[in-house]
Amino acid sequence: QVQLVESGGGLVQPGGSLRLSCVASGNGFVIWPMGWFRQAPGKQRELVAAITPGGTTHYTDSVKGRFTISRDNAKNTLALQMNSLKPEDTAVYYCNGVNWGTRSIKYAPDFGPWGQGTQVTVSS
C-alpha cells in the first residue's frame, strides 16, 4: 500500500487561487489513474478531477474551467491548481488512486488508504 500526503490548503477570498500538492510513497504510482476528491461538512466525498498516467483528464462540471489537475510520474506527485475559487469549494481535499471506467470514475481501494487531506476555506 502507498501513503498519501496532501498539502497546500488554506484560507482564501472568493476569486482567489490555491495550488494543492499530493505526494505518494510506495510502488505503482505511475500505472494508476489518480484523482482529487473533496468532502464538505454534512456532505459525501465527491470526485473533483482525475488524470490517467498518460495525461487524459476529467473534471466535475462545477469546477470545469477553473481547476487544472496535473501529475509528475517521475516524482510520484499530483497537483491541483484552483482558480476563481468560490465559497462552495470549501472542503477538505484528498488525493487517491481511481478506477477509471467507461461510465464512472471512482476511488480505488486497492491503491491505498485515505490520507489526512488538506483544508481549503473560501470566505470573505
Side-chain angles (χ1 to χ4, degrees), residues 65-76:
R66 301 188 297 120
F67 291 10
T68 302
I69 188 171
S70 61
R71 66 191 292 162
D72 187 336
N73 291 333
K75 297 181 179 180
N76 285 5

Side-chain angles (χ1 to χ4, degrees), residues 19-102:
R19 184 175 177 87
L20 307 184
S21 296
C22 168
V23 179
S25 64
N27 299 324
F29 176 84
V30 298
I31 66 171
W32 278 94
M34 297 292 296
W36 282 100
F37 299 78
R38 67 186 180 188
Q39 187 167 29
K43 300 182 66 176
Q44 293 187 348
R45 202 192 315 263
E46 66 171 343
L47 179 70
V48 176
I51 185 169
T52 69
T56 300
T57 58
H58 166 84
Y59 300 93
T60 191
D61 287 343
S62 64
V63 308
K64 195 169 186 177
R66 301 188 297 120
F67 291 10
T68 302
I69 188 171
S70 61
R71 66 191 292 162
D72 187 336
N73 291 333
K75 297 181 179 180
N76 285 5
T77 58
L78 185 74
L80 185 68
Q81 178 67 47
M82 305 185 296
N83 299 325
S84 301
L85 283 161
K86 303 175 180 179
E88 49 262 48
D89 296 318
T90 296
V92 179
Y93 284 71
Y94 304 86
C95 63
N96 219 315
V98 298
N99 290 321
W100 193 303
T102 303

